[in-house]
């Protein structure tokens, strides 16, 4: 099967699950054209995605494919944020960076945050009690909860947190944004990090940014622009996944009202429900890009050395070969080996935090508003036009 579907189109989300289903059946290694005449590949079956994400034959470091960036580019705003990011490097640099952050994000450390996350959720829900008519669950709950949590971990001042939503949305939507808008927001983000890093150097605090600065000063742990890249990644990844988990999860429950009633009647199902929400409308739709380090034959097609390869997380999580009735939400599903947080060495570092935030959010939300309903037709809701992520633009709801 050959198809001309543009997977980077803003309209792609409207029928992407059907598109993925056709790919899994007929074209599990799907090629598409990139700018400059290069070839990209979209991998859609569960087992193939597992192999791709764990294989050392697919690398993250673009410089190994296209050569090192110029000295001028190395000091650009984009370089400060994107180059040397843990997501975009291979071992041994990836191993070093991940080892640096792992202690702060292990499950035991995350559980210590539970009382504070509960306080934040309670405060947000109390504010929502006084709202009349419909309100946007994304704006009022799904976004502020994780952005407050990650900001407090990092040590970002309260008055600055609202800036991250605009910057984050522009940067993760880079392919749909005008270059000038993208460059403007990247510049603003870097300037803010300049300020924040300078302030923490002068006034150390008990927060992650101070810890990262200390690691940089030791010399052998953080190098070059890695400090900027790490803070940027923590801010973006630290809230985007949970925003989408809460929004997408509530949307899925609205799509399956019997499952919503089941969860309300038995809050003990929350943990398995969270896993099923992560599978059903995965907050991260696809993996970040990898490049083939050698010629590889997959399903009769040759992926050439240097070709870009993307794994479809959403497709893998609905693979009929792996999941029974994958098109249905089942909050009691066990086992549930979804790949919403990736697989292999790049498995999401913040998964324990996202799971904890999601669990607290749904327990609190459904207890506070047991009669919550969508305000309008679900079919009218729109997905953000971001290829990498899956999230709603808004989710208007009524408390009763």
């Amino acid at each position: 099967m050959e198809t001309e579907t543009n997977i980077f189109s803003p309209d792609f989300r409207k029928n992407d699950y059907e598109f993925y289903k056709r790919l899994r059946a007929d074209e599990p290694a799907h090629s598409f054209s990139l700018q400059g005449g290069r070839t990209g590949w979209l991998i859609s079956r569960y087992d193939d995605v597992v192999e791709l994400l764990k294989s050392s034959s697919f690398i993250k470091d673009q410089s190994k494919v296209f050569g090192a960036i110029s000295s001028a580019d190395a000091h650009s705003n984009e370089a400060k944020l994107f180059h040397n990011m843990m997501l975009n490097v291979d071992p041994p640099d990836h191993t070093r960076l991940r080892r640096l952050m792992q202690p702060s994000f292990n499950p035991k450390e995350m559980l210590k945050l539970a009382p504070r996350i509960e306080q934040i959720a309670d405060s947000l829900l109390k504010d929502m009690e006084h709202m009349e008519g419909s309100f946007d669950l994304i704006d009022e709950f799904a976004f502020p909860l994780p952005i407050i949590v990650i900001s407090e971990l990092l040590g970002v001042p309260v008055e600055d947190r609202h800036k991250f939503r605009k910057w984050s949305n522009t940067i993760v939507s880079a392919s749909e944004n005008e270059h000038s808008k993208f460059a403007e927001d990247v510049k603003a983000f870097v300037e803010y990090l300049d300020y924040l890093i300078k302030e923490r150097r002068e006034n150390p605090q008990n927060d992650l940014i101070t810890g990262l600065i200390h690691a940089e000063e030791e010399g052998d742990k953080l190098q070059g622009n890695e400090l900027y890249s790490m803070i940027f990644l923590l801010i973006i990844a630290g809230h985007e996944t949970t925003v989408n988990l809460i929004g997408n999860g509530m949307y899925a429950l609205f799509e399956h009202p019997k499952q919503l009633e089941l969860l309300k009647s038995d809050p003990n199902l929350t943990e398995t429900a969270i896993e099923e929400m992560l599978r059903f409308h995965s907050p991260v739709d696809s993996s970040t890009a990898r490049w083939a380090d050698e010629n590889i034959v997959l399903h009769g097609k040759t992926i050439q050395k240097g070709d870009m390869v993307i794994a479809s997380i959403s497709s893998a999580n609905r693979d009929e070969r792996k999941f029974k009735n994958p098109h249905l939400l089942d909050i009691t599903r066990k086992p549930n080996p979804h790949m919403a947080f990736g697989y292999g060495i790049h498995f999401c570092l913040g998964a324990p935090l996202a799971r904890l935030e999601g669990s607290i959010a749904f327990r609190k939300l459904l207890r506070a508003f047991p009669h919550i309903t969508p305000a309008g037709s679900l079919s009218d809701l729109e997905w953000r036009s971001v290829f990498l992520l899956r999230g709603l633009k808004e989710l208007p709801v009524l408390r009763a």
Side-chain angles (χ1 to χ4, degrees):
M1 177 188 79
E2 294 296 336
T3 177
E4 296 180 358
T5 299
N6 179 5
I7 63 175
F8 299 111
S9 166
D11 295 327
F12 177 63
R13 284 278 172 270
K14 293 178 180 179
N15 298 295
D16 59 340
Y17 287 129
E18 284 301 314
F19 174 73
Y20 291 145
K21 185 177 181 179
R22 294 197 302 272
L23 289 190
R24 290 194 301 272
D26 302 323
E27 196 185 357
H30 166 66
S31 64
F32 56 92
S33 298
L34 298 168
Q35 290 183 347
R38 294 185 177 275
T39 299
W41 296 86
L42 183 66
I43 310 304
S44 54
R45 289 183 183 172
Y46 185 97
D47 289 343
D48 294 334
V49 168
V50 168
E51 288 302 313
L52 167 62
L53 297 184
K54 74 179 185 180
S55 173
S56 59
S57 296
F58 297 96
I59 58 178
K60 285 295 203 81
D61 188 349
Q62 293 187 56
S63 68
K64 295 177 182 177
V65 179
F66 304 111
I69 60 175
S70 70
S71 58
D73 289 339
H75 298 289
S76 68
N77 290 319
E78 289 85 348
K80 283 190 174 182
L81 294 187
F82 299 110
H83 294 289
N84 300 318
M85 188 188 296
M86 190 164 58
L87 267 179
N88 297 330
V89 297
D90 303 299
D93 286 330
H94 175 270
T95 307
R96 171 175 55 85
L97 293 171
R98 190 167 182 108
R99 187 182 298 122
L100 174 65
M101 294 307 304
Q102 190 70 56
S104 298
F105 286 90
N106 72 60
K108 287 185 178 180
E109 285 299 311
M110 292 298 96
L111 281 175
K112 295 177 183 178
L113 299 175
R116 177 57 184 148
I117 296 172
E118 291 179 351
Q119 288 178 350
I120 296 167
D122 286 337
S123 176
L124 293 170
L125 291 167
K126 185 176 181 180
D127 289 342
M128 290 158 61
E129 288 178 357
H130 304 291
M131 296 177 184
E132 297 183 2
S134 66
F135 58 90
D136 182 8
L137 190 68
I138 307 296
D139 274 348
E140 304 299 337
F141 190 64
F143 171 75
L145 175 63
I147 198 65
I148 292 171
V149 173
I150 196 63
S151 294
E152 289 186 354
L153 273 174
L154 287 165
V156 174
V158 175
E159 62 271 17
D160 294 333
R161 293 169 188 166
H162 69 281
K163 301 174 183 177
F164 295 131
R165 189 173 192 184
K166 174 178 180 291
W167 292 337
S168 173
N169 194 57
T170 299
I171 291 168
V172 300
S173 308
S175 61
E176 285 83 37
N177 284 317
E178 296 178 6
H179 178 74
S180 59
K181 183 180 180 184
F182 173 78
E184 178 183 322
D185 279 356
V186 168
K187 182 175 183 291
F189 208 144
V190 170
E191 288 177 349
Y192 181 76
L193 292 183
D194 283 336
Y195 152 76
L196 201 58
I197 291 168
K198 180 176 183 294
E199 200 279 334
R200 280 298 181 273
R201 289 193 197 280
E202 295 173 354
N203 300 290
Q205 303 291 327
N206 184 27
D207 55 41
L208 274 177
I209 291 181
T210 300
L212 289 170
I213 291 170
H214 176 69
E216 182 198 45
E217 290 171 347
E218 289 185 6
D220 61 342
K221 292 185 178 180
L222 283 174
Q223 303 163 5
N225 292 321
E226 289 175 343
L227 177 59
Y228 285 83
S229 296
M230 186 68 79
I231 298 172
F232 166 71
L233 177 61
L234 290 172
I235 291 172
I236 301 298
H239 79 275
E240 283 282 3
T241 300
T242 307
V243 172
N244 294 344
L245 166 57
I246 297 171
N248 298 358
M250 200 67 237
Y251 175 74
L253 290 172
F254 286 150
E255 289 181 305
H256 298 78
K258 290 183 179 180
Q259 295 292 298
L260 175 56
E261 291 305 313
L262 178 60
L263 182 56
K264 287 192 294 186
S265 66
D266 187 0
N268 290 327
L269 291 173
T270 302
E271 273 65 40
T272 56
I274 292 296
E275 298 308 308
E276 180 67 346
M277 294 172 193
L278 287 163
R279 181 197 71 84
F280 194 74
H281 288 312
S282 303
V284 176
D285 186 73
S286 67
S287 72
T288 50
R290 287 162 170 77
W291 282 266
D293 197 30
E294 58 186 346
N295 291 350
I296 298 167
V297 177
L298 182 62
H299 297 293
K301 297 187 177 182
T302 301
I303 300 173
Q304 301 283 345
K305 180 176 181 179
D307 284 355
M308 186 179 81
V309 186
I310 294 172
S312 174
I313 302 299
S314 288
S315 179
N317 283 343
R318 292 199 175 202
D319 191 339
E320 303 83 354
R321 297 159 187 79
K322 191 69 178 181
F323 301 96
K324 183 179 179 180
N325 297 322
H327 60 291
L328 297 178
L329 185 79
D330 178 5
I331 64 170
T332 67
R333 189 184 296 272
K334 283 187 178 181
N336 194 345
H338 66 78
M339 284 191 286
F341 293 117
Y343 193 89
I345 65 170
H346 288 282
F347 182 84
C348 178
L349 188 67
L353 177 58
R355 285 184 164 116
L356 178 62
E357 290 173 328
S359 178
I360 291 172
F362 277 96
R363 287 179 184 273
K364 295 281 188 179
L365 177 64
L366 296 181
R367 186 183 305 150
F369 304 130
H371 304 296
I372 190 170
T373 59
S377 172
L378 294 178
S379 62
D380 292 334
L381 298 178
E382 297 182 16
W383 298 102
R384 294 166 62 193
S385 54
V386 181
F387 176 73
L388 182 65
L389 302 172
R390 180 182 297 275
L392 293 165
K393 290 183 179 179
E394 59 180 9
L395 180 56
V397 298
L398 293 167
R399 293 194 304 276

